[in-house]
Amino acid sequence: MRRGRLTPGAVRKWGFIASFLAAPLAIYIIFFVSPNLQALQLALTNSRGISPDFQYVGFENFTRLFGDEVFWAAVRHHGLILLVMPLVTIVIALFFSFLLNLGGGQRNGQLTGVWGSSFYKVVFFFPQVLAVVIVGVLFQAVLNPQKSGILNSVLGWFGVDPVGWLIKPDLALWTIIGVMVWQGVGFYVVLFSAGMAGVPKEIFEAAALDGANRFTLFFKITLPLVWNTVQVGWVYLGIAAFDAFALVQVLSIDRGGPDNATTVLPLEIFRQTFTYYRFGYASAMGVALVFLVLTFAALTLRVTRRERIEY
């Protein structure tokens, strides 16, 4: 047999592999690569979406972005959400996951979670069952600025005046971030619990026998062993921070208000497209958003990369 010539067995092997990869690759190209390429093409035009007639304007739409105050306000809001929401969500989720899996102490020589941990996992995961719009509608009642609002009613019992959670520009975005954390914690509690459940209990039990307290057990053993899961969760939450469309659309005053205090890029893209019919300009915003998301994911995976721990 001459070197470099495929044998019939090798042909069958690679043909079998290609047959499995062909469908996912085709779906990826059709539903991700192709729309993004079309958006890039549309971003180079002055299309208004209501007429097939348009002109190519080069990078005019991208140049216009640099002078758009609303665009930069949305970018700043994404930056704030990106700094706060993933960190708070992961810290809370890790805390509860640790309690549900290892916080109950030793029973019959084995580390267990707190009493009723299985029930608590269901309770924490419940917000994930609800659609984002339903969550937004529920929190409209919770955050109503009047005394009749659920949260303000509770605060009224302690003599606190009603708070305009969503009508104060300096408070509205923080309130929406709080709702995003509430909605996301349950999923990551389950995700991190699955990661901890995949670690042999003998490792934790050996550490406990050596005198490790809960602080040491969490930071020195548990967190390093589930770091890959935390890394994935951080990327997912970062991508969610670049979205936030539905919650801002439902909860904010005047779609991104008051005074653009809560606007985000997906909402601004929606407004430019279906309110002002600036399809080309909206596509330029979409391309910028994709670039920001991909940059964040790449940097996060790079910065948080650690050597894999085998056990």
Side-chain angles (χ1 to χ4, degrees):
M1 182 182 67
R2 290 183 296 178
R3 181 177 298 178
R5 186 175 181 179
L6 292 176
T7 64
V11 172
R12 288 193 298 270
K13 173 186 174 182
W14 289 109
F16 179 78
I17 294 174
S19 65
F20 275 92
L21 293 178
L25 182 61
I27 293 174
Y28 178 77
I29 292 174
I30 293 172
F31 293 103
F32 181 79
V33 177
S34 177
N36 278 280
L37 291 178
Q38 292 179 44
L40 179 59
Q41 179 188 13
L42 198 60
L44 302 175
T45 71
N46 61 357
S47 173
R48 298 185 59 84
I50 55 178
S51 171
D53 299 327
F54 58 84
Q55 296 177 339
Y56 282 93
V57 294
F59 292 96
E60 180 179 317
N61 289 323
F62 293 98
T63 303
R64 181 180 172 187
L65 286 177
F66 289 99
D68 190 336
E69 295 182 0
V70 177
F71 170 79
W72 287 112
V75 172
R76 289 194 298 271
H77 297 159
H78 283 298
L80 179 60
I81 298 172
L82 193 60
L83 286 174
V84 177
M85 190 269 288
L87 178 61
V88 175
T89 302
I90 287 176
V91 168
I92 296 175
L94 281 172
F95 173 73
F96 285 127
S97 300
F98 182 77
L99 291 180
L100 295 178
N101 288 273
L102 303 169
Q106 288 190 343
R107 297 175 188 171
N108 300 323
Q110 294 183 344
L111 283 174
T112 59
V114 296
W115 183 84
S117 57
S118 298
F119 171 75
Y120 293 137
K121 289 179 183 179
V122 175
V123 173
F124 283 129
F125 191 76
F126 178 73
Q128 295 297 317
V129 179
L130 303 176
V132 179
V133 175
I134 294 177
V135 172
V137 172
L138 289 175
F139 271 92
Q140 280 182 338
V142 173
L143 301 170
N144 190 307
Q146 306 299 323
K147 290 184 178 180
S148 58
I150 296 174
L151 185 54
N152 281 332
S153 296
V154 174
L155 293 176
W157 299 343
F158 301 95
V160 179
D161 294 331
V163 179
W165 301 101
L166 296 170
I167 62 177
K168 292 186 175 180
D170 56 344
L171 186 60
L173 184 61
W174 290 101
T175 302
I176 292 176
I177 291 175
V179 176
M180 294 176 68
V181 171
W182 178 88
Q183 185 195 19
V185 161
F187 175 81
Y188 294 96
V189 167
V190 175
L191 178 66
F192 297 153
S193 294
M196 294 178 189
V199 178
K201 285 291 181 71
E202 291 80 5
I203 297 177
F204 301 118
E205 293 165 2
L209 290 174
D210 289 338
N213 56 31
R214 293 186 179 182
F215 184 87
T216 303
L217 189 63
F218 177 77
F219 285 100
K220 299 294 184 180
I221 299 173
T222 306
L223 187 57
L225 291 176
V226 299
W227 183 256
N228 287 339
T229 307
V230 174
Q231 183 188 48
V232 172
W234 202 292
V235 173
Y236 284 169
L237 284 165
I239 294 173
F242 282 107
D243 184 8
F245 170 80
L247 279 179
V248 174
Q249 172 84 346
V250 176
L251 287 176
S252 65
I253 304 299
D254 194 25
R255 294 182 181 180
D259 195 23
N260 290 321
T262 59
T263 190
V264 289
L265 283 178
L267 184 62
E268 188 59 23
I269 292 171
F270 178 86
R271 182 185 293 124
Q272 292 292 335
T273 304
F274 299 107
T275 301
Y276 305 122
Y277 295 99
R278 300 168 181 164
F279 276 61
Y281 187 56
S283 296
M285 282 190 179
V287 172
L289 179 59
V290 170
F291 174 77
L292 290 173
V293 172
L294 293 178
T295 301
F296 163 78
L299 288 176
T300 301
L301 292 174
R302 177 68 178 177
V303 172
T304 61
R305 185 173 60 184
R306 298 178 60 175
E307 292 186 5
R308 183 178 180 84
I309 299 177
E310 300 290 345
Y311 48 82

